[in-house]
Amino acid sequence: MIAATQDFLTGGYLLTQKDAFFDRGQICQIITQILCGADQTLPVHLPPPTIIKPQALWTGKQVFSMMLRPDKDTRVLANLETKGKSYTKDKEFCVNDSYVVIRNSELLAGSMDKSTMGSGSKANIFYVLLRDFGEKAACKAMWRLARVASWFLMNRGFSIGIGDVTPSASLLKQKKGLVDSGYEKC
């Protein structure tokens, strides 16, 4: 469960970085990750490339937008404007690309991170989808992101060490205290 959450957030974060670009072949492979299960026959609208010359390239922000609203006829038009975890100043011009602007389900600025995808706060995209469009729309977007993030990490390459997921001594002590107090109540 922890690994899936980490992969989900890491993939979404890396996918929406300023330097994430995809050629036509890569963008078509990503679309195949969206077209799975209940979405198998879903019509997907490929937006025009962000860069046209010398080669057509799409951004990770466009990919993220397609996960929220893969088809122009989809009525999911989510709007969100919030500070990300690494926000400094100057809103859309934040040097860390950490001011998120989503208009009509299109990610216009910012990188999606834990605070904008999985913090449990009201300033994350899945809360907005749940509140404004219902659990079905939020679940579909999460499912699409989970598939694309997994594919993206497998093809891009990303690894963590055991030290990244080993609990600290203070966390182990806190856990022991919680478990002991739970047993005392039983």
Side-chain angles (χ1 to χ4, degrees), residues 55-75:
Q55 176 185 8
L57 294 174
W58 287 261
T59 67
K61 289 174 175 48
Q62 288 177 297
V63 171
F64 191 86
S65 300
M66 281 193 303
M67 287 182 273
L68 299 177
R69 188 174 177 226
D71 181 25
K72 280 185 169 184
D73 296 330
T74 304
R75 293 183 173 235

Side-chain angles (χ1 to χ4, degrees), residues 4 7-9 11-12 15-16 27 29-45 60 62-78 105 117 125-126 129 133-154:
D7 289 350
F8 182 81
L9 296 174
L15 185 69
T16 58
I27 202 80
Q29 285 182 326
I30 291 170
I31 289 171
T32 64
Q33 298 307 307
I34 294 173
L35 298 175
C36 181
D39 289 342
Q40 195 169 14
T41 58
L42 181 72
V44 176
H45 171 75
Q62 288 177 297
V63 171
F64 191 86
S65 300
M66 281 193 303
M67 287 182 273
L68 299 177
R69 188 174 177 226
D71 181 25
K72 280 185 169 184
D73 296 330
T74 304
R75 293 183 173 235
V76 176
L77 299 172
S105 295
M117 279 191 296
I125 188 61
F126 298 114
L129 290 170
F133 303 98
E135 61 189 44
K136 192 173 182 180
C139 187
K140 280 184 175 184
M142 289 176 104
W143 178 234
R144 290 176 191 136
L145 180 60
R147 289 192 313 259
V148 170
S150 173
W151 177 90
F152 180 67
L153 287 176
M154 283 190 297

